[in-house]
Each structure stands twice: as C-alpha cells, then as structure tokens.
Amino acid sequence: MIPESQLALETDAERYIALFHISEALSSCGEPEELARVLGDQLRGLISFDHLDVLILKENSSEIEWHGWGTEPVAF
C-alpha cells in the first residue's frame, strides 16, 4: 500500500519540485541538529521511512564531524 503523501507525487515534475523545496529548507539550517530534523520532516512528504541517519563529514576528509540519528529515538 502506498501512503497518501506519495500518491500526490506522481510526475517527475512534482518530485523535482518537492526535492527543490527540500534543498531550500536545508539551506536555511544553521546547526547540524536542525538539519537532521528539517531533512526528516521534509522527506516524510516525499518518501516513507522509519529512521534517518545523517553523517556530516569534515571538508576534504572522511572524518565524521557530526552524526545525527533521525527524527525520533530508535527502539532496539
């Protein structure tokens, strides 16, 4: 079964517009914690997921600068 939020995004143009709005929302984030929250909130309108894991790497490096665990706690 497809969630209602995904039914509205049937065309490539609609998906492109949704991704454009996500990029705009992300560009306004000032802190990594805010980025993970905004990304999770915005992506829920485009795709269905249970958890979001975000890594921010240091520039020109593979070293992790910040690691965020999605929009809500994970039950182990």
Side-chain angles (χ1 to χ4, degrees):
M1 177 165 23
I2 300 172
E4 286 184 39
S5 63
Q6 291 179 330
L7 293 176
L9 300 173
E10 294 177 354
T11 69
D12 288 340
E14 290 171 323
R15 286 187 285 273
Y16 176 80
I17 290 169
L19 290 172
F20 178 75
H21 289 298
I22 290 171
S23 70
E24 284 184 323
L26 293 177
S27 68
S28 68
C29 295
E31 298 295 324
E33 294 83 7
E34 182 183 12
L35 179 128
R37 183 188 53 77
V38 169
L39 181 59
D41 291 346
Q42 293 289 318
L43 283 176
R44 286 197 192 281
L46 185 63
I47 60 172
S48 176
F49 61 94
D50 294 324
H51 186 71
L52 179 66
D53 189 13
V54 179
L55 290 174
I56 297 177
L57 302 176
K58 290 187 178 182
E59 190 172 352
N60 299 320
S61 172
S62 60
E63 185 179 346
I64 297 172
E65 185 169 323
W66 183 82
H67 185 192
W69 283 91
T71 57
E72 52 196 56
V74 177
F76 290 101

